[in-house]
Amino acid sequence: MELNLKKPICFFDLETTGINVAKDRIVEIAILKVFPNGNKESHTWRVNPEMAIPAETSAIHGITDEMVANEPTFKELATKVYALIKDSDLGGFNSNRFDIPLLAEELLRAEVDFDMKKAMSVDVQTIFHKMEKRTLEAAYKFYCDKDLKDAHSAAADTNATYEVLKSQLDRYSDLENDVNFLADFSSHRDHADFAGFISYNEDGVEVFSFGKYKGSLVTDIMEKDSGYFGWLLNADFPLYTKKVLTRIRLQKLNTKF
């Protein structure tokens, strides 16, 4: 089935120096632009990240420092990338959590102010997870290779859940056997920024989701502790997080006039 499009959509994927949205850089970007009439346009660029690529990362995507030493920086490519995506929606695999936030950071570093939250974004991974069976019975069969008898009885479900978690810890070495880690790993929050430092409360108002002011309204803290806002803007936080904070501050100032 062909996509029913009202505007172009750009599917894209990034290879990077790592997974830290605030610090890591793009080493390769591929964009497939699909137009409403079915035409396609494809571009791939290697990128000099202006930092060393860790050996463990090169082992994953195969791109080394030597391979990108003479390639353009992202700042040099930014106008081309922007020209491709500025009129389009966005698509990717796990793109909402990684590729879009990191690309937004790179564009801001290159002084291209494109608010990617205003584009529609289709994350194929999320669709996959929502459409394929993700019941406790399926997890019990997949992880423990057992059929869940008496499913939906409280005792059977709780025992199966406990066994599944233990099996997940056995299977995935990067899962820490620590409740705080597992709680954070398995949480889903509605963030105002990409990195999750600013969330929305139940009233849809921005609150801090970390640090000493966790749960406090951003606007309240800006009035009570102006030094904290200055620290946030100068500390090593993602540029998009800083952009959101600046937007909130400007909105607050505008309401006073």
Side-chain angles (χ1 to χ4, degrees):
M1 181 182 296
E2 293 299 323
L3 291 176
N4 180 17
L5 301 175
K6 296 181 175 63
K7 61 189 292 190
I9 182 169
C10 285
F11 295 92
F12 75 99
D13 185 68
L14 307 177
E15 302 299 341
T16 64
T17 58
I19 59 173
N20 186 312
V21 169
K23 296 180 179 180
D24 282 304
R25 301 291 189 268
I26 295 170
V27 298
E28 186 175 71
I29 177 171
I31 300 175
L32 172 64
K33 186 170 186 176
V34 182
F35 294 87
N37 64 4
N39 290 343
K40 300 179 182 67
E41 181 180 348
S42 180
H43 298 270
T44 301
W45 294 281
R46 288 277 173 88
V47 184
N48 183 339
E50 301 181 279
M51 65 181 292
I53 305 173
E56 58 270 25
T57 306
S58 292
I60 295 172
H61 53 50
I63 301 172
T64 64
D65 292 331
E66 294 75 19
M67 294 167 68
V68 295
N70 297 317
E71 299 293 344
T73 65
F74 186 83
K75 188 168 186 176
E76 293 171 318
L77 291 169
T79 54
K80 294 181 181 178
V81 172
Y82 176 65
L84 268 176
I85 68 176
K86 65 180 181 180
D87 63 342
S88 304
D89 292 324
L90 303 171
F93 194 87
N94 193 34
S95 48
N96 285 347
R97 293 189 177 187
F98 181 70
D99 299 84
I100 288 176
L102 201 147
L103 181 58
E105 287 294 298
E106 289 278 38
L107 287 169
L108 286 171
R109 289 188 198 103
E111 300 179 347
V112 177
D113 191 7
F114 174 44
D115 192 346
M116 301 178 76
K117 283 222 173 215
K118 292 183 178 179
M120 294 292 104
S121 57
V122 179
D123 192 326
V124 175
Q125 185 190 67
T126 301
I127 294 174
F128 168 50
H129 288 170
K130 287 186 175 182
M131 296 304 295
E132 290 302 313
K133 194 174 182 183
R134 288 293 184 269
T135 62
L136 179 57
E137 294 99 313
Y140 196 53
K141 183 66 176 177
F142 179 80
Y143 288 107
C144 305
D145 197 23
K146 299 177 183 177
D147 294 319
L148 181 54
K149 298 178 180 178
D150 300 322
H152 304 300
S153 71
D157 285 1
T158 51
N159 284 321
T161 301
Y162 172 56
E163 287 188 47
V164 166
L165 178 57
K166 291 193 296 179
S167 184
Q168 287 174 326
L169 290 168
D170 289 336
R171 182 180 289 260
Y172 306 119
S173 60
D174 51 345
L175 284 182
E176 294 180 21
N177 196 351
D178 174 81
V179 169
N180 288 337
F181 173 88
L182 294 170
D184 182 67
F185 186 87
S186 59
S187 65
H188 292 281
R189 302 185 183 93
D190 189 9
H191 302 311
D193 62 340
F194 287 121
F197 292 109
I198 307 168
S199 298
Y200 294 107
N201 64 13
E202 59 186 12
D203 297 319
V205 181
E206 295 93 345
V207 297
F208 287 109
S209 54
F210 76 102
K212 63 180 181 179
Y213 292 124
K214 184 176 181 178
S216 299
L217 295 178
V218 174
T219 51
D220 286 353
I221 302 307
M222 284 180 176
E223 289 191 357
K224 295 177 183 177
D225 190 350
S226 58
Y228 189 67
F229 178 74
W231 171 75
L232 289 170
L233 291 186
N234 290 297
D236 191 19
F237 286 94
L239 294 176
Y240 196 88
T241 299
K242 296 177 182 181
K243 179 180 178 180
V244 171
L245 286 169
T246 301
R247 174 183 57 76
I248 296 170
R249 186 185 193 191
L250 290 173
Q251 286 176 342
K252 181 69 174 178
L253 289 173
N254 288 337
T255 60
K256 292 183 177 181
F257 299 101

